[in-house]
Amino acid sequence: MSESVKAKKKSPAAENTADGKLQQAKSEAALPALGFKGMLRWSWTQLTSMRTALFLLLLLAVGAVPGSLFPQRPANPVVVTDWIRNNPTTGPFLDALQMFDVYSSAWFSAIYILLFISLIGCVTPRAIAHYKAMKSQPPHTPRRLSRLPEYGTLALPADAGIPASKAVTDAAGLLKKRGYRVEVRDVDGDLPSLGAERGFLKEVGNLVFHTSLIGVLVSVAIGGLFGYSGQRILVEGDTFVNTLVGYDQFTPGTNFQSSSLQPYSMQLDKFEATFDRGESPGKAGQPIDYTAEVTTKETPDAPGKKETLKVNDPVSLGGTSLYLTGNGYAPMVTIRDGEGNVSFEGPVIAKVQGDNYYSSVVIKVPDAKPEQLGFVGFFLPTAFVTETGTSFSASPELFNPQLSLNSFYGDLGLDKGVPQNVFELDVKDLKPLNARDLAAGGITLTPGATVDLPEGKGSITFDGVKKYIGVDIHHNPGQLYALIFGFLAVAGLVMSLYINRRRVWVRTGTHSDGRTMVEYGLLARGEDHRLAGEAAALREIFAREWNIPETPATPDTATTTAGSSSTSKDQ
């Protein structure tokens, strides 16, 4: 049966009761419509609440997870293209959801902007309210101080010559020395009193913490918009110039402009790697130190400057930081094609793959005639051969360098416009020339040696070995500001946790027997486990100021021999 039918069956007496009238009033009440402005005000209130800010912060962290699960287009577009091609069902769907461009996607940017607005809307009114509280006077003295959590009384003898007005003035001076903001009231009245307050830095720390979070967000946004990063491999003697074509890999920010690149340069003069040669048991061959001697120029016309690049000790140029992140060997080779022309000459980056700098080598020679040439194999800094004929590197240092290769000829596929990995050689469309399982055998070279390729396809010469380093280049204009705001956030958090906001009231008066009676009470804004200690400290300095000897109170009485008493209540 519905409520309306039930209501009709109620007796007239029931309708006249208080509950009946209340229910009738509720049923007849009509809530006012919010309207457009009211809805906007309600939405702004919800957005700027601390609960919403925390939720958006959590949502931002969750939204960043796909950036770790799926390859990102700005970092490696080739991998993203392959991923979509290999997953024809889910790939286009995830691409439509911008899962391969997470950090520049519309939904991630929306979360970021909403969090930014929420923090600003939360901090601004709190800062205004706190500023007004700092300018206002302490609250009026409560009528019954004994109801406060910490309460105590002192009695000054009549012959002490300290009237009530002087006692409250003395108390005000003592509280000011302890950092309280004090207001004395009715100093010439019968019951002079004062209100004191301190601990405003607690809320200041809270505001600094939240404001610093906004600063961190802004700094990160600036870095993501205008920063960039890249990698470059430098062989001894090579020079890196800070232009787009100078990078092996480049990741720009969302609003990056190539005109913002500073035209500095860095040349690798020499690289030294120091290894343990058995001085430490069980650590032979372990790296001890890496040192790269470089020559830098801030501008093309600037004089060269000798600097040292080491691990975790970057070189700063043009607002960027250059880090030493890797190193290896680069065999120098000269390759002649079937027509006798030099089709390749220079260093080849050997990619470190195993212990003691065992490195893979790939050489692509698209300019060879009449057909293109390709080589794949490995480089050993200190080559040793086992009894079974297996070669390995016995040391990371150059004691017996050896280059072992297989050769191929045919179409390398470089003319199709499809990007390839320089450290990989696709041999499915190539014909082998040299290999261990062929009659010609594999190619084994030592420095200075030359081997002719079968079928008159040319020759390869091992000219020597140079060293190379891997350099990471980072430019983040918001990095310094993020660090500053991060320190401010920590400082603000410490302030908000360890500073307590307290209020103290003191009231004095004259007893009929001539004694000056003093009562005081303390109240904390929030939890303060040290409030009792503060009350004891105030009692001690008051007693010292008025020469009142302290005597422990007994359970039967709260009055000491000097006429002072103290009680503590929990509210």
Side-chain angles (χ1 to χ4, degrees), residues 294-315:
V294 298
T295 301
T296 61
K297 291 184 178 182
E298 289 282 354
T299 61
D301 299 329
K305 180 182 178 181
K306 297 292 184 179
E307 296 192 63
T308 301
L309 179 64
K310 299 175 72 69
V311 178
N312 297 326
D313 187 11
V315 170

Side-chain angles (χ1 to χ4, degrees), residues 400-423:
N400 183 31
Q402 177 180 296
L403 187 60
S404 299
L405 300 170
N406 294 336
S407 64
F408 302 83
Y409 73 96
D411 185 7
L412 297 176
L414 296 175
D415 300 329
K416 298 179 181 178
V418 179
Q420 293 185 10
N421 191 332
V422 296
F423 297 110

